Amino acid sequence: MTPEQTMEPIAVETLLQRVQKMHEDGYRLVQIHATTLPDKLEITYSFDLDLRLASLRLHLPLEEPRLPSVSTIYGCAVLYENEMHDLFRVQVDGMTLDFKGNLYKTAVKFPFGSTKAPGVTCAAIAPAPTPKPAAGAAPVK
Amino acid sequence: MARTIIPFGPQHPVLPEPVHLDLVVEDEKVVEARPSIGFIHRGLEKLAEKKDYVEFVYVAERICGICSFIHGQSYCQAIETIMNVTVPPRALYLRTVWGELSRIHSHLLWLGLLADAMGFESLFMHSWRVRERVLNIIEATTGGRVIFGSCKIGGVRRDIDPAMITHIQSEMKTIEKEMREITTVFMNDRSVKSRLCGVGVLTKQEAYELGCVGPMLRASGVAQDMRKLGYAAYKDIPVEPITRTEGDSYARCAVRSEELFQSVDIIRQALERIPDGEIAVKVTGNPNGETIMRTEQPRGEVAYCVKATGSKNLQRFRVRTPTFANLPAMLKVLQGCDLADVPVLVLTIDPCISCTER
Amino acid sequence: MAFFQMTSLVMKWIFRKPVTSRYPFEPRVPLAGSRGKLVFTDGNCVYCTACAKKCPANALIVSRDKKTMEIDRLRCISCGYCVDVCPKKSFSLGEAHSSPVTTKSSELQIHKSGNEETGAPKAAEGNSTSAPK
Ligand code: SF4
Ligand code: SF4
């Protein structure tokens, strides 16, 4: 189809550096989203430059996912990051505007965090029975 | 000077949508605006895990009541991309026609609401009078007035017959004439100009950095329009983004006014060149794959991130709607504005909070 | 002059018939092709439940044994998906829209064995409003 899309797996440690590079290259932040996979959390950052869509992807453990904030580089990222926090329980450190879980008013806390995955329930964070891969370790592909 | 916090919304006479702002004001100047949204979060993204991917078109259409068709279309395009479905050309043209009709009705709605926010009630009525003609065409061709329900995976569900095409073409002439009368008022009237000119200026650099999309970005001079990606019939009908350089509220109004006529032009071309043939192909199997589909809605670029794993339910369905991307810019332009300008500024981003919260 | 543009628009419309209608006294006639109230034709239906499985709003409850079709009018979004999937063409979409109701009730349609039909509309709005104008 039409859009030229690239998807590049990165590690959490290199996130800020890569996003900084994107910013310097003149990319516009299109969106950030998270997906709950059976065993991990997948975070995608999409950028656009002249209709080319470049995405960065990283993986986080389901248990206590933690991310550095890119809002110091892209100011508009705060909304996406707060959204990720409110819906997926991702702890984003250093947001320039932190709603502290009050961006969305949901009856259930963190509704999009997987209910199927062991050790993670909607309402509370229960300790997981099985150890999870470390943050950013070996993204798929 | 002491600071006062004025709560604004979610229920406010000028706000058509539930967004709450805490306006920190010093005298009459807004120093800071702190938003809170989330009053109508419906969890539609989560619903994708319950509904099968074919039924989900109806849910996608209901994300927003104004850009409804383009939501359905983007969703279908995303699934079609994943499943490698080739949509018949006639269906692509029909989608384009309906998409542009929905752009016209959305922009007319916005112009009306803007007039209403300024207190120009008669202009508001006239905008909506013209919009009614567009809605009638939509109802006659798709069966719904705002929820079209005519897009499906693999094509469209209804055809437009030649008699109807002739009718639309002649209706378009009237609509164009009437829109011209209204937009002349918007562009030249002294009271409109004094409410809009120089209010809420966003420079090109700021607009781009803040991730603005759609008319908001184009009014600041960035020529970006997702229709240039060439989806649907836009590969045959080239679209030149309409831009302005001022970046103020007046420029945003001007961009949207001009886009009305651009859409009329696209509809006219599409109806002239519409090929004959099938309107849908049969789609079997389940999607497996991932894509990010971007289309241009009346309010700007929408991004559909769809991930499927070969079962009939999607694994992840995520929509980044245009208003979500425009909110940071709204907060930016609110800083330092007059309290009386807040309604106009909130409206110039064409806020659609319902789709923002999905 | 800018000021007179609005004036001329207003003057033009001051002498015209209003485009609005006196709604409750003059009900709006839906345009041809409008997706209105769902019409179920008894007699053809074989109670295969295909429509109920496909309905995106879960508005249909079909019982194979009791041979009943229940349409929840307040859930139905008039999308017409059931019209497309029914192998027996038992459904069609009327142009008129269902009338507002004050209580939630569904409409049960019972099909007795043989071909005699007993449409037993329970809901207050009846079943005849869907005739095309
Ligand atoms: S209405 Fe059609 S699809 Fe539904 S149960 Fe009857 S025959 Fe089957
Ligand atoms: S029209 Fe749509 S919502 Fe109504 S019963 Fe049929 S499938 Fe269900």
Side-chain angles (χ1 to χ4, degrees), chain C residues 40 45-51 62 69 86-88 90-91:
Chain C
F40 177 64
C45 177
V46 291
Y47 301 95
C48 65
T49 72
C51 53
V62 182
M69 159 72 69
C86 175
K88 294 284 176 192
S90 293
F91 281 118

Side-chain angles (χ1 to χ4, degrees), chain A residues 2 5 23 26 28 30-35 37 42 48 51 57 76 80 83 88 99 103 105 111, chain B residues 35 37-38 45-46 208-210 213 224 229 290-292 294 301 305 307 315-316 318 320 324 358:
Chain A
T2 36
Q5 295 184 4
H23 186 251
R28 176 176 64 92
V30 173
Q31 61 96 24
I32 305 174
H33 83 268
T35 307
L37 301 184
E42 186 179 84
D48 163 280
L51 302 179
R57 166 158 291 174
C76 54
Y80 303 111
E83 184 186 37
F88 289 90
F99 282 81
L103 181 66
K105 292 161 185 61
Chain B
I37 57 171
E45 292 181 349
K46 190 85 176 160
Y208 193 78
E209 292 266 305
L210 287 168
V213 293
Q224 192 189 49
L229 283 170
E290 184 178 6
T291 192
I292 299 178
R294 293 182 301 159
E301 167 208 47
C305 313
K307 185 166 185 173
Q315 186 178 39
R316 178 79 166 113
R318 191 260 198 277
R320 200 299 316 274
F324 203 88
R358 293 143 344 261

